[in-house]
């Protein structure tokens, strides 16, 4: 680019690319050329040499390149001969000039033309003539679709900058943007790439503003006024400098460069910030621009100064035009073309020698790559228009995103869209505050807010009152008051009007889904009402945070079941607990009998009597009415533990039975959805809601679904029942169900399960910036609580039975089960087992002489076991209880007999059947009759006569 310099790295890349194409064109023409002869290669240059900045800039760069290149390479045997043509910025003229160059001048390559439209026509001509067409200024991505080996788009495509623009918008969390572009192939080529990049970042594009290249100032002004009536205040401008300058001048005049607006321009204008008139730059103050990054090296600065001097010599009146990326691309494209032509006949072995003194002027290898016939940007510079100049605020790189400094060594390797990586920005209106990117237009129409029409029911949520005199409508209700309170909490004014969603008959013009679709299709700006947040609806619109309790629940009638169940006294305990308790009573009776049988006359006697006494004693502990005295310590220990357990069981049973007969007097008729499906019972839903789809997914048939419009209709359907065309359950959202419960008090109840939904929310278009502000305002209103309680009390708490506990969810109580008491039974079992072990050990120890016999024969073992059993069945005469009893009998046998209240019996009758007297001397018991061969029982007192009672062991 300067004298005595070798080609840059980019030029080397371009050279090898051009070489293959140019070789096929000029290779056959060089055979007769001598080694010392310099051959002129004709190259056509088609540019807008009249008033276009790109054409004049490119012409200056191309001519400088030819002079610099051959001054640096005087030994080259080829030389480019430039033949300039003026396209006059006209497509037809540009095509005619190319045809003349190909036909009459027989050029071997064409540099140009300037615009995308001109390039589209010229490319076809070059393809047919097999002549390379090299453009350094046609940037539309649409040119890539023209697949031809003879077209070289040296200019960087516009689509490479859309990710940088998207990163800037994401950094400030803007959600809506309106592109403004020139209505031709240059402007239209960028839009698909831009909108796709924005949509991937969930940034909404509500409108595309196309302005004709030849549009008048009035037409531009009308379009800008149209944009002012919209909410969006963020615009991306993709235009040529000429049209863009007019746009910003008009925008400044009508107030669109004031505070609150955001403007971002593409490289089509940002490249010329240093060349625009000062008045134009002042009208663009606060604008952000994106353009390819060119490092400010010393070599580049020297070249730029030399380029400026040369340009002023040729154009002394254009003092404001300065070098930019287009001039550099033109210079390097010409250098590469010259090298490709020379390579065909050069006898040099390469560029090793000339490369020794090379110094890169633009350092382009640091920011561009070449491949596939087009440049790939690796960095973009972000600039801020300030006054009549500009200031760098950051950079964007494909692998790093937004960065503050290109040379920062500690720059993060992760992709960043943080605004902290950008410098201080002066926004339009000379403001340092970041604009919201949207606002409610004060000079535009009010927001059209759709509201549902309640024909006859649930008007507490939304109610439309028609005034026949003034023919006006007033919208009130819970949802309306909540929205009004939320709007009042916003930090700005929000003008709106409610539009009822009704037909000509004053009825609702569809379902709630149809109402939501009005926002999706742009017929309404929002929806306020009892609109449920669902996943399907959120695919088309955005919802605010919910302002009501969420969920769909089942409501069923409740019935008094106390008088219809004669066995209610069994319900407090489960069957396993009943059975366990009964078995434990029997077991306790057995344990007490084992522990008391040998020492307590209460537990002796005939077998039926002993069984009855043991069971009587055990079960009587349930009411603490047992009268039998327990003599052994082990028995007393067992009884104490058991009485403690019985007391807990009795108290728990009493509490549970009381609850069943009083608290749980109202029970839901149905508590299971599967039971409804199994019995094919009818269910109801509110007309217009989304619930029918949910019910069908659960398995309900169409004939099972019944619709109602009000709580009165729902009550009528419940009264009829499924057998008479009514319903046995209704599915609805919690706010509606609560209203039904408040109206009919103890007739209905909510039961599980509850199906999760989003609750009621306000509806706005996808990506609407109002969603975030409205949601925050909802949180503020609900957090304060005062307004929300006042609204709820005014609309939803007007029932006379609102204090009734039937509004709460009724669920069936479960009976007490074994799992609640198994620990108590474990304590009883361990206590009994411990007492039995102690008793058995003591018994065996006392009669160890029976087991000391050394004879181990089977008959001996059986005999000893029999002896032990007989011994267990005998009285333990060593017990203090029997000692006391015997003393009483010996001292006064006559009185004992008299106390039995039995008739007199002769002494001879005691020979075979004897009696023993209990310690309390109130009852008598017959002992087992002796066998004839049995020896008479020994007399314990010699003074007793034979006729006195003798006790014989009971044979069991």
């Amino acid at each position: 680019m300067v004298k005595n310099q070798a080609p840059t790295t980019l030029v080397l890349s371009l050279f090898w690319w051009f070489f293959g194409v140019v070789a096929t064109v000029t290779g056959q023409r060089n055979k007769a050329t001598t080694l010392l002869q310099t051959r002129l290669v004709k190259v056509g240059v088609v540019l807008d040499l009249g008033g276009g900045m790109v054409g004049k800039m490119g012409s200056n760069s191309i001519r400088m390149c030819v002079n610099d290149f051959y001054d640096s390479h005087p030994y080259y045997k080829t030389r480019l001969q430039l033949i300039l043509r003026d396209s006059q910025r006209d497509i037809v003229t540009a095509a005619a000039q190319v045809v003349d160059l190909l036909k009459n001048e027989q050029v071997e390559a064409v540099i140009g033309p300037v615009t995308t439209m001109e390039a589209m026509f010229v490319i076809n001509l070059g393809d047919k003539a097999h002549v390379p067409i090299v453009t350094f200024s046609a940037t539309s991505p649409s040119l890539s679709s023209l697949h031809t080996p003879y077209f070289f788009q040296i200019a960087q495509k516009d689509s490479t900058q859309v990710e940088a623009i998207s990163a800037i918008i994401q950094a400030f969390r803007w959600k809506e943007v309106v592109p403004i572009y020139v209505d031709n192939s240059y402007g239209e080529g960028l839009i698909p790439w831009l909108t796709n990049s924005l949509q991937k970042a969930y940034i909404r594009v509500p409108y595309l503003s196309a302005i004709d290249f030849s549009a008048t100032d009035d037409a531009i002004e009308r379009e800008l006024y149209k944009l002012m009536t919209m909410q969006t205040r963020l615009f991306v401008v993709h235009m040529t400098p000429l049209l863009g300058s007019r746009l910003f001048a008009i925008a400044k005049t009508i107030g669109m460069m004031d505070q609150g607006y955001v403007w971002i321009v593409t490289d089509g204008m940002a490249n010329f910030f240093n060349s625009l008139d000062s008045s134009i730059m002042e009208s663009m103050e606060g604008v952000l621009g994106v353009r390819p990054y060119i490092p400010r090296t010393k070599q580049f600065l020297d070249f730029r100064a030399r380029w400026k001097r040369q340009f002023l010599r040729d154009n002394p009146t254009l003092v404001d035009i300065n070098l930019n990326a287009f001039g550099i691309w033109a210079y390097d494209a010409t250098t590469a073309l010259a090298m490709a032509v020379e390579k065909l006949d050069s006898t040099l072995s390469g560029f090793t020698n000339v490369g020794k003194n090379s110094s890169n002027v633009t350092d382009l290898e640091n920011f561009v790559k070449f491949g596939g016939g087009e440049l790939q940007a690796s960095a973009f510079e972000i600039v801020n228009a300030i006054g009549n100049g500009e200031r760098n605020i950051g950079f964007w790189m494909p692998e790093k995103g937004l960065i503050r400094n290109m040379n920062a060594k500690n720059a993060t390797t992760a992709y960043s869209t943080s605004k902290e990586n950008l410098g201080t920005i002066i926004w339009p209106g000379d403001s340092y505050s970041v604009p919201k990117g949207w606002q409610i237009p004060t000079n535009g129409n009010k927001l059209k807010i759709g509201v549902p029409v309640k024909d006859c029911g649930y008007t507490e949520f939304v109610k439309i009152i028609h005034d026949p005199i003034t023919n006006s409508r007033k919208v009130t209700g819970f949802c309306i008051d909540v929205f009004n309170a939320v709007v009042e909490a916003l930090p700005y004014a929000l003008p709106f009007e409610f539009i009822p969603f009704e037909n000509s008959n004053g009825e609702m013009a569809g379902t709630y889904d149809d109402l939501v679709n009005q926002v999706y299709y742009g017929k309404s700006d929002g929806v306020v009402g009892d609109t449920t947040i669902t996943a399907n609806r959120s695919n088309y619109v955005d919802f605010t945070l919910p302002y009501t309790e969420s969920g769909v629940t089942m409501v069923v009638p409740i019935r008094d079941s106390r008088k219809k169940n004669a066995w209610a006294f069994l319900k407090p305990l489960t069957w396993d607990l009943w059975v366990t308790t009964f078995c434990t009573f029997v077991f306790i009776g057995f344990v007490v009998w084992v522990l008391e049988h040998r020492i307590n006359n209460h537990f002796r006697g005939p077998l039926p009597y002993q069984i009855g006494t043991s069971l009587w004693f055990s079960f009587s502990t349930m009411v603490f009415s047992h009268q039998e005295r327990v003599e052994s310590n082990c028995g007393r220990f067992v009884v104490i533990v058991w009485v403690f357990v019985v007391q807990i069981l009795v108290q728990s049973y009493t509490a549970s039975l009381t609850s069943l007969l009083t608290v749980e007097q109202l029970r839901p008729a149905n508590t299971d959805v599967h039971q409804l499906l199994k019995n094919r019972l009818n269910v109801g839903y509110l007309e217009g809601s989304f619930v029918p789809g949910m019910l069908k997914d659960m398995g309900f048939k169409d004939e099972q679904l019944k619709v109602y419009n009000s709580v009165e209709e729902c009550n009528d359907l419940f009264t009829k029942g499924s057998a008479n065309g009514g319903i046995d359950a209704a599915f609805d959202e919690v706010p509606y169900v609560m209203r039904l419960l408040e109206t009919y008090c103890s007739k209905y109840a909510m039961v599980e399960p509850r199906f999760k939904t989003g609750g009621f929310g306000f509806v706005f278009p996808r990506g609407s910036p109002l969603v975030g502000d409205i949601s925050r305002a909802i949180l503020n209103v609900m957090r304060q609580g005062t307004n929300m309680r006042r609204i709820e009390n005014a609309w939803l708490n007007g029932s006379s039975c609102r204090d009734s506990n039937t509004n709460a969810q009724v669920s069936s109580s479960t009976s007490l089960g074994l799992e609640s008491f198994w620990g108590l039974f474990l304590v009883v079992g361990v206590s009994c087992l411990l007492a039995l072990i102690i008793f058995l050990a003591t018994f065996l120890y006392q009669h160890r002489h029976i087991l000391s016999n050394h004879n181990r024969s089977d008959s001996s073992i059986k005999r000893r076991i029999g002896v032990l059993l007989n011994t267990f069945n005998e009285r333990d005469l060593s017990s203090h209880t029997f000692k006391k009893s015997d003393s009483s009998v010996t001292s006064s046998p006559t009185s004992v007999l008299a106390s039995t209240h039995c008739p007199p019996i002769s002494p001879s009758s005691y020979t075979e059947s004897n009696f023993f007297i209990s310690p309390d001397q109130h009852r008598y018991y017959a002992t087992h009759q002796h066998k004839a061969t049995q020896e008479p029982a020994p007399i314990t007192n010699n003074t007793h006569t034979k006729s006195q009672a003798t006790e014989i062991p009971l044979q069991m």
Side-chain angles (χ1 to χ4, degrees), residues 6 57 155 173 193 318 467 601 666 784 935:
M57 187 181 300
R173 300 185 182 277
W193 299 85
L318 303 178
D467 188 345
N601 285 331
L666 301 176
Q784 294 173 358
E935 295 291 337

Side-chain angles (χ1 to χ4, degrees), residues 58 82 100 125 187 249 275 277 284 565 589 649 659 769 781 936:
L82 303 178
D100 178 68
L125 297 176
S275 300
D277 185 80
M284 296 177 61
N565 192 346
L649 288 174
S659 175
V781 171

Side-chain angles (χ1 to χ4, degrees), residues 70-326:
Y70 290 110
D71 287 346
S72 302
H73 307 86
Y75 43 82
Y76 274 21
K77 64 179 181 179
T78 59
R79 187 177 184 88
L80 299 183
Q81 181 182 359
L82 303 178
I83 303 176
L84 271 66
R85 292 286 190 272
D86 186 4
S87 66
Q88 302 177 8
R89 205 172 188 83
D90 180 74
I91 298 175
V92 177
T93 302
Q97 295 290 5
V98 172
V99 170
D100 178 68
L101 290 172
L102 295 175
K103 183 177 181 181
N104 298 324
E105 298 294 340
Q106 296 185 350
V107 296
E108 300 183 28
V110 174
I111 300 177
V114 174
T115 68
T116 299
M117 293 75 70
E118 295 170 357
M120 285 185 173
F121 281 83
V122 172
I123 289 172
N124 294 326
L125 297 176
D127 187 54
K128 293 181 179 179
H130 293 182
V131 173
I133 305 296
V134 182
T135 179
F136 61 88
S137 58
T139 58
S140 175
S142 60
L143 295 176
S144 300
S145 60
L146 304 175
H147 302 290
T148 170
Y150 295 96
F151 172 66
F152 303 95
Q153 190 177 9
I154 306 303
Q156 191 168 279
K157 291 195 305 181
D158 290 332
S159 58
T160 57
Q161 61 188 317
V162 297
E163 295 298 333
I165 296 173
S166 177
I168 296 173
I169 298 175
Q170 293 178 62
F172 296 97
R173 300 185 182 277
W174 294 317
K175 294 300 182 182
E176 280 191 357
V177 59
V178 171
I180 306 175
Y181 60 97
V182 58
D183 191 11
N184 57 26
S185 57
Y186 166 71
E188 294 172 350
L190 175 71
I191 297 304
W193 299 85
L194 179 62
T195 55
N196 182 62
S197 177
L198 295 175
Q199 288 174 357
K200 288 192 298 184
Y202 301 100
I203 300 171
R204 184 169 173 258
V205 181
Y207 180 72
L208 297 174
S209 177
I211 298 178
D212 190 78
F213 180 79
S214 58
T216 63
D217 289 351
D218 290 340
I220 297 175
E221 185 175 347
R222 285 194 301 270
E223 183 65 20
L224 291 178
Y225 271 121
K226 182 179 180 180
L227 297 178
M228 290 180 67
T229 63
M230 301 179 182
Q231 296 183 18
T232 307
R233 291 295 180 262
L234 170 58
F235 307 103
V236 174
V237 179
H238 181 58
M239 292 181 173
T240 60
L242 181 61
L243 181 60
S245 299
R246 295 170 57 205
L247 174 78
F248 280 104
I250 297 173
K252 178 74 173 180
T253 302
I254 65 176
M256 293 187 69
M257 297 302 297
D258 295 340
Q259 186 174 353
Y261 286 86
V262 182
W263 297 85
I264 302 175
V265 297
T266 62
D267 62 352
M269 288 196 66
N271 276 324
F272 294 93
F273 274 4
N274 59 358
S275 300
L276 295 176
D277 185 80
S278 60
S279 61
I280 298 298
M281 288 300 297
E282 289 177 357
S283 67
M284 296 177 61
E285 185 171 23
V287 173
L288 298 182
V290 176
R291 66 190 182 195
Y293 169 61
I294 300 176
R296 269 52 168 185
T297 62
K298 182 179 183 303
Q299 292 84 355
F300 170 75
L301 297 177
D302 293 342
F303 173 74
R304 186 176 65 178
R306 191 167 61 86
W307 183 95
K308 180 68 173 179
R309 291 194 298 269
Q310 179 64 40
F311 185 83
L312 290 177
R313 282 196 295 266
D314 297 337
N315 306 276
T317 60
L318 303 178
V319 295
D320 293 331
I321 296 181
N322 294 288
L323 179 67
N324 60 29
F326 291 111

Side-chain angles (χ1 to χ4, degrees), residues 696-747:
K696 292 178 181 178
D697 293 339
M698 294 167 58
F700 288 98
K701 305 298 182 182
D702 290 334
E703 58 271 15
Q704 293 179 259
L705 305 182
K706 304 296 179 180
V707 64
Y708 57 87
N709 289 293
S710 63
V711 293
E712 292 77 16
E713 291 186 15
C714 182
N715 179 60
D716 293 340
L717 291 175
F718 271 121
T719 303
K720 294 179 181 179
S722 296
N724 299 316
I727 60 176
D728 284 278
F731 288 83
D732 219 332
E733 295 173 85
V734 173
Y736 299 130
V737 173
M738 295 299 294
R739 190 59 185 164
L740 175 66
L741 298 181
E742 290 175 350
T743 304
Y744 291 99
C745 298
S746 60
K747 291 185 65 175

Side-chain angles (χ1 to χ4, degrees), residues 850-865:
I850 300 176
L851 301 175
S852 61
N853 194 337
H854 297 288
N855 190 350
R856 302 299 182 183
S857 64
D858 292 340
S859 59
S860 177
I861 294 176
K862 291 180 179 179
R863 186 177 64 82
R864 288 199 298 272
I865 293 175

